[in-house]
């Protein structure tokens, strides 16, 4: 693997500063991207989540800064959470390399004078457009669009058109983890004939991540999560829930069980969101319960497991959930809860994805390997004497020497009815046994 010190065009002070905070080796996307951006080439860069895209554009930007009087780069991101994330990376670099300033615009009504002359501006499309009259943009050299697919599909089309039409003589770069063909068409609309680098190999998530469907059987999402935590004992995990009500129910259940965790969703005040993420990053908690607000761009080291308690409405978000683990070459695990009786979305994900999935069933004492969802279970021979007699009796009752309409269907219905009643009887017997056991305790 190449290293930052192999770039002769990077200042030694910057290389040494990066090394002092642990950035020595280049990821593949950094190795491909940095030389192009240093030469001020427009580009579209696709790489799996967790591959180091943020640093891939920040290093050339910092290298280009030679004074503190002008804004050299504008970074556009789809959410404030991602803006803060990029800001955190810059904060760490600036502690060892103070030759630049930066501003994360969090509120259009709360601009400070420093924003006018910050070397790097990070903002959402709306906040940038609202506050750009306060900035000095004449010397901007880089215009970066991070999480480009989310910007394009996230309702920012009008804002992107306005930003693209600004009279900026800046190098434009778009970064994304998605590989959708429709996205490629829209990217060409915004980026024209820019150089395209694709390191996704058809997958949004890193190859080091294993993906497992987990049949939670009769359990609720909250019960299944608690049992999973007890059985698997993940080192550091993020649990995603897409529905607000379900998310609140799981949070309430975790509190009732006194399971320590952090909790984040879009309606939380920003201060509480930052505290929850900080507690999780600093290992004060090892479980983060989250809505899909945390699925994009969130960079937390050492996340060993991602648990999707359900699948998001937009299945593309699953890959971004899974991308919170297996970052920067580390291994990771992504688990998807489902019930075998209702495998609808699970099958849809399997059909659309090029990922190889594993299958398991969550039991009280283990996560047991299971069969592929697409493989039908083998029919087992009936070895219950009483049930066999009842089925024969049902067939005889519906048998006729004359050919009657729907004869085969009626026989099948009769057999199904016998099996259903037999199953109900077993369940009732088991319930009565359980009740007696509880009474005798």
């Amino acid at each position: 693997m190449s290293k930052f010190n192999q770039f002769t065009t990077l200042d030694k002070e910057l290389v040494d500063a990066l090394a002092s905070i642990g950035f020595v080796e280049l990821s593949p996307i950094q190795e491909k991207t940095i030389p192009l951006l240093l030469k001020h080439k427009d580009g579209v860069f696709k790489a799996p989540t967790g591959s180091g895209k943020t640093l891939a554009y920040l290093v050339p930007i910092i290298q280009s800064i030679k004074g503190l009087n002008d804004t050299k780069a504008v970074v556009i991101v789809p959410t404030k959470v991602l803006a803060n994330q990029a800001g955190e990376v810059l904060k760490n670099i600036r502690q060892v390399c103070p030759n630049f300033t930066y501003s994360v615009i969090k509120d259009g009504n709360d601009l400070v004078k420093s924003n006018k002359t910050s070397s790097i501006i990070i903002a959402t499309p709306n906040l940038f457009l609202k506050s750009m009259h306060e900035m000095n943009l004449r010397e901007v050299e880089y215009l970066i669009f991070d999480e480009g697919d989310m910007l394009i599909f996230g309702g920012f089309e009008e804002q992107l058109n306005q930003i693209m039409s600004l009279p900026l003589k800046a190098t434009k770069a778009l970064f994304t983890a998605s590989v959708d063909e429709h996205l490629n068409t829209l990217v060409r609309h915004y980026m024209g004939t820019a150089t395209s680098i694709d390191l996704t190999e058809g997958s949004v998530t890193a190859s080091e991540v294993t993906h497992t469907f987990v049949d939670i059987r009769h359990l609720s999402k909250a019960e299944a999560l608690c049992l999973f935590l007890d059985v698997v004992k993940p080192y550091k995990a993020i649990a995603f829930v897409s529905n607000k009500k379900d998310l609140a129910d799981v949070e309430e259940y975790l509190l009732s069980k006194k399971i320590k965790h952090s909790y984040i969703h879009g309606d939380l005040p920003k201060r509480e969101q930052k505290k929850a993420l900080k507690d999780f990053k600093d290992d004060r908690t090892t479980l983060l319960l989250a809505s899909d607000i945390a699925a994009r761009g969130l960079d937390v080291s050492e996340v060993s497991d991602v648990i999707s308690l359900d699948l998001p409405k937009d299945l593309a978000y699953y890959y971004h959930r899974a991308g919170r683990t297996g970052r920067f070459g580390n291994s990771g695990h992504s688990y998807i809860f489902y019930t075998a009786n209702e495998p609808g979305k699970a099958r849809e994900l399997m059909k659309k994805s090029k990922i190889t999935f594993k299958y398991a069933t969550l039991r009280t004492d283990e996560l047991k390997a299971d069969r592929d969802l697409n493989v039908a279970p083998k029919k087992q021979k009936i070895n219950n004497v009483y049930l066999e007699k009842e089925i024969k009796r049902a067939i005889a009752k519906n048998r006729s020497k004359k050919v009657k309409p729907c004869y085969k269907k009626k026989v099948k219905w009769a057999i199904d009815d016998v099996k259903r009643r037999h199953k109900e009887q077993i369940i009732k017997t088991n319930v009565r046994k359980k009740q007696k056991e509880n009474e005798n305790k």
Side-chain angles (χ1 to χ4, degrees), residues 300-314:
V300 180
S301 61
E302 298 182 336
V303 172
S304 58
D305 301 82
V306 167
I307 310 154
S308 291
L309 275 60
D310 55 22
L311 282 168
K313 186 176 181 180
D314 181 356

Side-chain angles (χ1 to χ4, degrees), residues 57-58 61 71 73-88 90 102-111 115 118-135 137 142-148 150-151 156 159-160 163 166:
Y57 63 75
L58 287 181
I61 289 172
T71 297
V74 174
V75 179
I76 303 296
V77 294
T79 69
K80 291 180 183 178
V81 171
L82 293 174
N84 285 327
Q85 187 73 43
E88 283 294 316
L90 283 171
Y102 71 94
S103 291
V104 178
I105 302 179
K106 302 174 184 177
D107 190 336
N109 298 317
D110 190 31
L111 291 172
N115 283 332
S118 290
S119 312
I120 305 168
I121 300 288
I122 306 166
T124 61
N126 287 326
L127 285 175
F128 172 71
L129 290 170
K130 188 176 181 180
S131 55
M132 66 181 184
H133 63 280
E134 297 282 346
M135 307 172 193
L137 301 176
Y142 291 98
L143 179 58
I144 307 294
F145 298 93
D146 200 359
E147 297 290 353
M150 196 174 178
L151 286 167
F156 297 111
Q159 292 91 330
L160 289 178
I163 294 169
L166 292 173

Side-chain angles (χ1 to χ4, degrees), residues 79-200:
T79 69
K80 291 180 183 178
V81 171
L82 293 174
N84 285 327
Q85 187 73 43
E88 283 294 316
V89 177
L90 283 171
K91 179 182 177 182
N92 291 334
I93 296 174
R94 195 171 185 277
Q95 287 174 349
V96 292
C97 182
N99 73 322
F100 68 92
T101 57
Y102 71 94
S103 291
V104 178
I105 302 179
K106 302 174 184 177
D107 190 336
N109 298 317
D110 190 31
L111 291 172
V112 292
K113 288 185 178 180
S114 63
N115 283 332
K116 296 180 182 180
T117 56
S118 290
S119 312
I120 305 168
I121 300 288
I122 306 166
T124 61
N126 287 326
L127 285 175
F128 172 71
L129 290 170
K130 188 176 181 180
S131 55
M132 66 181 184
H133 63 280
E134 297 282 346
M135 307 172 193
N136 177 10
L137 301 176
R138 287 173 298 181
E139 301 297 326
V140 170
E141 293 186 21
Y142 291 98
L143 179 58
I144 307 294
F145 298 93
D146 200 359
E147 297 290 353
D149 59 317
M150 196 174 178
L151 286 167
I152 291 171
F153 291 128
F156 297 111
E157 186 176 355
E158 184 181 339
Q159 292 91 330
L160 289 178
N161 286 330
Q162 289 182 54
I163 294 169
M164 283 295 193
S165 65
L166 292 173
L168 300 176
K169 297 178 181 179
T171 299
K172 298 179 181 68
L174 182 144
F175 290 79
T176 181
S178 290
V179 289
D180 185 271
E181 185 55 40
H182 183 44
L183 173 69
N184 290 338
T185 304
L186 290 171
V187 165
R188 282 194 290 273
H189 166 70
Y190 288 107
M191 299 296 292
T193 57
T195 302
S196 181
I197 302 291
D198 188 349
L199 301 180
T200 59

Side-chain angles (χ1 to χ4, degrees), residues 194-257:
T195 302
S196 181
I197 302 291
D198 188 349
L199 301 180
T200 59
E201 297 180 353
S203 176
V204 178
T205 59
S207 58
E208 292 82 4
V209 178
T210 61
H211 302 260
T212 306
F213 280 105
V214 179
D215 183 1
I216 61 173
R217 303 183 295 162
H218 57 279
L219 298 173
S220 69
K221 292 172 184 176
E223 291 169 336
L225 175 59
C226 289
L227 179 57
F228 179 91
L229 295 173
D230 186 52
V231 169
V232 177
K233 294 179 174 58
Y235 172 71
K236 192 168 188 172
I238 303 178
F240 286 104
V241 187
S242 56
N243 180 284
K244 278 187 181 180
K245 184 182 180 304
D246 289 346
L247 184 66
D249 289 344
V250 176
E251 155 74 351
E252 188 178 334
Y253 192 83
L254 290 176
L255 290 172
S256 71
K257 295 294 181 182

Side-chain angles (χ1 to χ4, degrees), residues 382 387-399 407-423:
I382 298 170
L387 182 58
E388 285 180 349
K389 282 183 180 180
E390 288 297 309
I391 290 173
K392 286 178 182 178
R393 189 175 291 135
I395 293 171
K397 191 175 180 180
N398 286 273
R399 185 175 289 147
Y407 164 70
K408 288 184 178 179
K409 282 186 178 179
K410 286 179 180 178
V411 171
K412 183 181 181 303
W413 291 340
I415 293 171
D416 289 343
D417 188 53
V418 169
K419 288 180 177 179
R420 179 185 58 77
R421 284 188 278 109
H422 180 74
K423 189 175 181 179

